[in-house]
Amino acid sequence: MTANPFLDTDRVRHDLYADADRIAQRTGALSRAKTAGPHPATVIVDLAATGLRGTVLDIGCGRGTTTLALAERLDPPRLIAFDQSTALLAEARTRLAGRPGVEFLRGDFHAIDLPNTSVAVTVAAFCLYHSPGRRQ
């Protein structure tokens, strides 16, 4: 079985998300792949806007596109942008600069260290393909 390149720390650091130019290339490819309908961040925020009030966790926040949409639309008291990539978190931090209640956490989404009851809404829209999945 081939190792998942998105979970290989050296490859993530040096290849996949090495710098702002590489990040822009990857996100540009995702944008070009989208062909119709509303922007994915709009759809995600619409689904998250359920009237729940509390902490919002954006797992695999990437450059912060969805995180920013969540901040603007939901205005949560606490918003956690979570990603494994330092470079992506830096981009998200720039996008969300000055927004109150926003925290940035780096780590593996398979092992997030937050109490289950501490989050009202969790978004994991663009990260699940990075998981090797479970074998039955």
Side-chain angles (χ1 to χ4, degrees):
M1 181 172 110
T2 304
N4 184 334
F6 297 105
L7 299 177
D8 179 336
T9 305
D10 288 330
R11 186 152 182 212
V12 167
R13 186 179 308 118
H14 300 293
D15 296 336
L16 301 174
Y17 305 110
D19 56 39
D21 288 337
R22 185 66 178 125
I23 293 167
Q25 287 175 349
R26 291 185 58 75
T27 56
L30 288 172
S31 292
R32 288 188 301 279
K34 183 184 163 311
T35 58
H39 191 280
T42 301
V43 174
I44 291 163
V45 173
D46 285 347
L47 291 171
T50 60
L52 293 174
R53 187 79 176 136
T55 299
V56 175
L57 171 63
D58 186 7
I59 300 173
C61 68
R63 295 177 38 218
T65 302
T66 300
T67 315
L68 180 59
L70 288 163
E72 290 174 343
R73 175 91 179 276
L74 301 181
D75 191 28
R78 181 179 182 209
L79 174 58
I80 303 169
F82 186 93
D83 206 286
Q84 186 172 13
S85 167
T86 302
L88 287 172
L89 283 171
E91 292 282 319
R93 192 178 306 273
T94 298
R95 274 194 167 163
L96 288 126
R99 292 237 170 232
V102 179
E103 300 171 31
F104 300 88
L105 295 178
R106 183 183 172 282
D108 180 347
F109 71 82
H110 296 94
I112 298 174
D113 189 21
L114 292 170
N116 287 340
T117 59
S118 67
V119 176
V121 175
T122 300
V123 174
F126 299 108
C127 66
L128 296 179
Y129 58 91
H130 294 294
S131 179
R134 289 188 344 184
R135 290 199 160 175
Q136 300 283 331

